[in-house]
Amino acid sequence: MASADAEVRDKAFGDFYNKALHQGSVYPSTVASLPFLFAMADDPATPDRGAVVALLLSIGWEVIDAEEIYAVICGPDGEDSTIYPDTANLMREHADAFVSYASDPDPRVRRAAIQGLGLFLDDAERAVALLRDRLGEESEVATRGLVVRTMADLVLRLPAAAVPARRWFDALADSSAIDPDTRLTALVHRARCAPESVDDRTVPTVIRLLRQITPTPPPEENKEEGRDASRPCTCVSEPVPGPDADVPGHIVAAFADLERHGRVHAPTTALLVAFHEALDARLDDRTALLAEQLSSPDPGTRYDAIDMARRLITAWRGDHTRLVRLIGVCLAPRDAYTAAAAAEALGSLAALAEPAREALAAYVTAHRTEHRADAWASPHPEVRRAHQLAVVALAGLGDVRALPSLLTALDTGTDAWRAVNVAGHLPQAAAELTPRLIRHLADIDPSLEQPGFGFTALTTALSRLGDPAAVPALTDALRAAVRHEQWHTAQAALKALASFGTRASSALDAVRPLTRADNMTLRTAAASALWELEHRPETVVPLLNGLLEHHRDFDAIDLAGRIGPPAAPVLPRLRQILAGQVEENTRNEQNGSAVLNDSWTLVHAAAALWDIGGNSQADTVLPALRDAWKDNDATTRDVVACLDRMRRAARPALPQIRAALAQPHRYDQRWSGAVASDLDIVHTCRTILTRLHNLPEPVPGGEE
């Protein structure tokens, strides 16, 4: 690290971060290095002293963040270790070193050290004074912002600093003599420390300051008319990956997405992200701020605002029409880089993207008519990606104007995986899409151990299109998968065939033998398909006994529920599964292990009990559903679907249903289908409430 050779130094720092601070973990070797690191940081002759101080700060952040969570860990010798709190205390003992570094003549050392004043000093009064003085000594905008942010970090760590820091924030934010960058930073970090300080003037003031510090682009960049979509975009351009037949397109795209993830395009982005976090549930304020960001003359600000807006819309319920339309405006013909981000965001919004439908259609159509008919396969990588993502978003809305590009993808094979993923949203175009999907299905080698993404996506698309012309091809694919013992592939084919119901009865000869397969998952999928293809309970119900005998197979449980009353012979087994899970959950809670509760077993078993036994099972089903819902929000969609089927018997769950509707957050925001799932939950809950409101109260002892 002290080498005169810059390449040697870079490798040494990289090795340290990768080996002695790997993913934030602190080891005995990390601690042993601290005296040497401080010695290098103290020596004016050390090259890259700023990098050394930054490394020390990184170690300090990790141990102080983790000292309470990992107060005691298992050390390398198997003994208890207090390495995190011990190292945190060691860093605090060196607080004066950071005080010295923060006033160093080298600006790189100062910038690296400033945050240490808020992290390692335990004397709140001294830390506040040092930071206040530091701001007066710094003229560089980014460094001044770092000083203000550090003051907020100090307040959040040491509440004793709150009163003097709040006065300082107020003075900075309200002073017209202070530069707008620092005023904006002070406003944001005051909100972080004191959310109650946010009032009706805060966001308008932030917007006004943003306008003052936002660079004005050249006049020609403000002209929307006359832009030529065929010209290279004026944005960051991605390298074109070389052809590699061994790497599927969706894998290449996934790695490219990872490379783009976390990019920041405007100096105010991190500050505005922090402000949105501080505003939290103040959705009107956040919408106004995002509208300003999305309309900014600065392209970097607009770009970064797209993901902020997407996060707001996917996390919070409400009327987001204004933001969706503004994201649609970001589909600018000459800025394919930003247009791709806007299209991708709209594609994640499910039905909420409706206000941007015409913007998407106009963008897609303009590419095909003004640029090139096969824009899906454009030689410019960013134009190609933007067009494809806009087509995907448009198809997700069921808009047939996406069809020409999807057909290009399927006919040429260029990034066909993207087209396959959304083809199922256009059942009105099944006559054109189904034959092409069948051809792609036939091209998959059934002997591969993992046919992977393509096969399942194709069978799902054919299932959603619902064209019976796909049944022979799916049957052939099933036979081939069985012949090559590719059980995962066979299950996907069975699921697709089942979706066609009795229209796929020609596949019965291929399906029946699989109900006796050794692979239990395959056997369950075959039994499920057999039921859908011929609806003969006398054939399928006897199979359920074996499927449910020794394990809890959710697919088998769900199959019993779909069969309904004719599956009554398995009611005792379902009650046994439910009771066993209730007992296990109770033991977990008594042992302090509630996190291990299996809510999904409760939901699946309870729903099947209701679908088979009806009102006679209500006293068992309803408590199980409500307990599962209380323990695990992720079960909400399944729970309310069953409550909907229970009709009047769902009345005792009304408080939970009302609470589900009243909550401002969307359910299960961690997965890509969260918006569609939450919209479905809201619709179902409203349906239940309307029905129960219109039904008369039950008469004691009377019939349902």
Side-chain angles (χ1 to χ4, degrees):
M1 292 181 184
S3 171
D5 188 325
E7 290 186 8
V8 172
R9 292 198 303 272
D10 288 345
K11 184 178 185 305
F13 278 104
D15 283 347
F16 192 102
Y17 278 104
N18 289 330
K19 297 174 182 177
L21 195 61
H22 180 62
Q23 294 183 346
S25 296
V26 172
Y27 309 95
S29 59
T30 322
V31 183
S33 73
L34 289 175
F36 298 93
L37 293 174
F38 277 112
M40 281 195 290
D42 291 339
D43 185 355
T46 300
D48 290 349
R49 288 178 62 228
V52 178
V53 175
L55 176 54
L56 284 165
L57 183 72
S58 296
I59 296 171
W61 270 117
E62 295 297 342
V63 295
I64 286 179
D65 279 349
E67 64 177 325
E68 293 185 6
I69 302 173
Y70 303 113
V72 179
I73 63 171
C74 182
D77 56 0
E79 300 294 327
D80 287 346
S81 169
T82 56
I83 189 171
Y84 281 98
D86 290 348
T87 309
N89 289 332
L90 180 61
M91 296 300 293
R92 294 185 184 103
E93 290 171 9
H94 284 81
D96 284 339
F98 282 89
V99 173
S100 173
Y101 304 148
S103 58
D104 194 271
D106 186 339
R108 294 169 298 180
V109 174
R110 293 202 304 275
R111 279 197 300 271
I114 284 170
Q115 289 176 282
L117 303 181
L119 193 62
F120 305 128
L121 270 69
D122 285 333
D123 184 337
E125 184 177 352
R126 182 189 181 203
V128 168
L130 286 168
L131 288 168
R132 191 167 49 218
D133 293 345
R134 189 75 259 139
L135 185 72
E137 298 294 328
E138 298 291 348
S139 59
E140 200 265 330
V141 169
T143 307
R144 288 170 64 81
L146 186 59
V147 173
V148 177
R149 171 189 160 184
T150 301
M151 184 74 84
D153 292 338
L154 175 70
V155 172
L156 294 173
R157 186 173 70 88
L158 297 179
V163 173
R166 172 70 180 271
R167 288 198 295 264
W168 186 67
F169 285 135
D170 290 344
L172 291 176
D174 296 338
S175 174
S176 58
I178 300 293
D179 62 278
D181 295 272
T182 303
R183 290 184 63 195
L184 176 62
T185 307
L187 270 172
V188 169
H189 289 296
R190 181 179 68 183
R192 278 184 65 211
C193 298
E196 71 280 1
S197 69
V198 177
D199 57 27
D200 293 341
R201 298 171 298 170
T202 304
V203 170
T205 303
V206 166
I207 290 174
R208 186 171 65 253
L209 291 170
L210 270 177
R211 290 174 179 172
Q212 291 180 34
I213 65 178
T214 299
T216 302
E220 59 271 16
E221 291 189 19
N222 287 322
K223 296 177 181 178
E224 183 66 31
E225 295 182 0
R227 287 184 175 179
D228 182 0
S230 67
R231 292 173 56 191
C233 60
T234 57
C235 55
V236 177
S237 185
E238 300 296 324
V240 181
D244 190 341
D246 294 330
V247 182
H250 66 282
I251 299 296
V252 174
F255 275 96
D257 287 343
L258 282 174
E259 197 279 327
R260 275 185 291 270
H261 181 73
R263 284 184 187 171
V264 174
H265 303 77
T268 55
T269 294
L271 193 62
L272 293 174
V273 168
F275 192 42
H276 280 288
E277 290 174 355
L279 290 174
D280 195 30
R282 299 176 69 106
L283 297 190
D284 290 343
D285 281 340
R286 294 183 66 182
T287 297
L289 178 57
L290 281 167
E292 175 69 20
Q293 294 172 247
L294 288 166
S295 305
S296 172
D298 175 51
T301 299
R302 291 196 303 272
Y303 186 100
D304 291 347
I306 290 170
D307 192 57
M308 293 188 216
R310 180 195 62 79
R311 290 176 182 273
L312 177 73
I313 296 168
T314 56
W316 295 87
R317 294 170 177 171
D319 183 358
H320 300 297
T321 302
R322 182 185 183 193
L323 293 182
V324 173
R325 285 178 175 156
L326 286 171
I327 294 174
V329 173
C330 290
L331 294 163
R334 275 201 60 222
D335 187 358
Y337 183 67
T338 302
E344 187 172 34
L346 292 170
S348 71
L349 300 183
L352 295 182
E354 179 62 38
R357 177 194 291 266
E358 293 308 315
L360 284 166
Y363 186 77
V364 168
T365 303
H367 267 187
R368 291 183 56 83
T369 57
E370 300 172 16
H371 183 41
R372 49 186 290 164
D374 61 342
W376 181 277
S378 168
H380 191 288
E382 273 303 332
V383 171
R384 182 172 66 246
R385 178 170 176 266
H387 180 82
Q388 290 180 4
L389 290 173
V391 169
V392 166
L394 189 61
L397 293 171
D399 197 308
V400 76
R401 286 173 287 187
L403 181 62
S405 291
L406 297 183
L407 297 182
T408 297
L410 296 173
D411 288 341
T412 65
T414 303
D415 295 328
W417 60 274
R418 272 204 173 109
V420 170
N421 270 344
V422 294
H425 292 288
L426 298 175
Q428 67 271 45
E432 293 178 271
L433 290 168
T434 299
R436 290 170 166 88
L437 294 173
I438 289 173
R439 286 201 297 272
H440 281 272
L441 188 68
D443 289 339
I444 293 179
D445 185 347
S447 67
L448 292 177
E449 182 177 353
Q450 285 292 339
F453 181 89
F455 188 89
T456 302
L458 283 163
T459 56
T460 300
L462 289 168
S463 173
R464 288 176 175 171
L465 288 175
D467 186 345
V471 170
L474 290 168
T475 306
D476 290 343
L478 173 62
R479 294 184 191 277
V482 172
R483 188 166 59 251
H484 292 282
E485 298 184 350
Q486 300 300 322
W487 307 134
H488 180 78
T489 304
Q491 291 161 32
L494 285 166
K495 184 177 179 180
L497 286 167
S499 71
F500 288 91
T502 56
R503 295 179 299 165
S505 59
S506 60
L508 280 169
D509 288 344
V511 172
R512 283 197 185 98
L514 300 180
T515 62
R516 301 184 298 274
D518 293 334
N519 183 286
M520 291 298 293
T521 307
L522 180 63
R523 192 189 301 182
T524 302
S528 183
L530 188 62
W531 167 253
E532 301 298 340
L533 268 56
E534 61 178 0
H535 284 283
R536 293 179 59 189
E538 66 273 18
T539 302
V540 181
V541 172
L543 301 175
L544 288 173
N545 292 318
L547 296 174
L548 296 172
E549 185 63 30
H550 301 296
H551 66 296
R552 301 168 186 176
D553 184 333
F554 290 166
D555 289 335
I557 292 172
D558 293 346
L559 171 58
R562 289 200 304 278
I563 294 172
V570 300
L571 278 174
R573 174 58 182 152
L574 291 172
R575 283 194 289 264
Q576 183 183 31
I577 291 172
L578 185 64
Q581 190 59 58
V582 170
E583 291 176 6
E584 184 177 330
N585 288 355
T586 301
R587 285 195 302 272
N588 287 337
E589 291 171 3
Q590 291 172 345
N591 296 332
S593 304
V595 69
L596 300 176
N597 282 3
D598 184 351
S599 303
W600 287 108
T601 297
L602 296 183
V603 173
H604 286 275
L609 282 171
W610 174 265
D611 292 333
I612 297 168
N615 285 314
S616 66
Q617 305 297 317
D619 290 344
T620 301
V621 169
L622 193 59
L625 291 176
R626 296 179 71 181
D627 286 346
W629 196 2
K630 180 183 67 175
D631 288 342
N632 185 358
D633 273 352
T635 65
T636 299
R637 190 175 187 177
D638 296 78
V639 170
V640 297
C642 186
L643 292 174
D644 187 29
R645 299 195 298 275
M646 293 175 71
R647 303 182 71 82
R648 188 194 300 273
R651 191 181 295 274
L654 275 175
Q656 279 175 279
I657 294 169
R658 291 193 180 102
L661 273 178
Q663 73 167 33
H665 282 102
R666 299 196 190 281
Y667 279 99
D668 205 13
Q669 302 161 29
R670 294 163 294 180
W671 70 296
S672 58
V675 172
S677 177
D678 187 71
L679 292 174
D680 187 47
I681 289 168
V682 169
H683 173 75
T684 305
C685 286
R686 286 175 177 163
T687 299
I688 295 171
L689 286 179
T690 300
R691 178 190 301 123
L692 292 179
H693 177 75
N694 293 331
L695 285 174
E697 291 287 340
V699 178
E703 294 183 357
E704 286 288 339

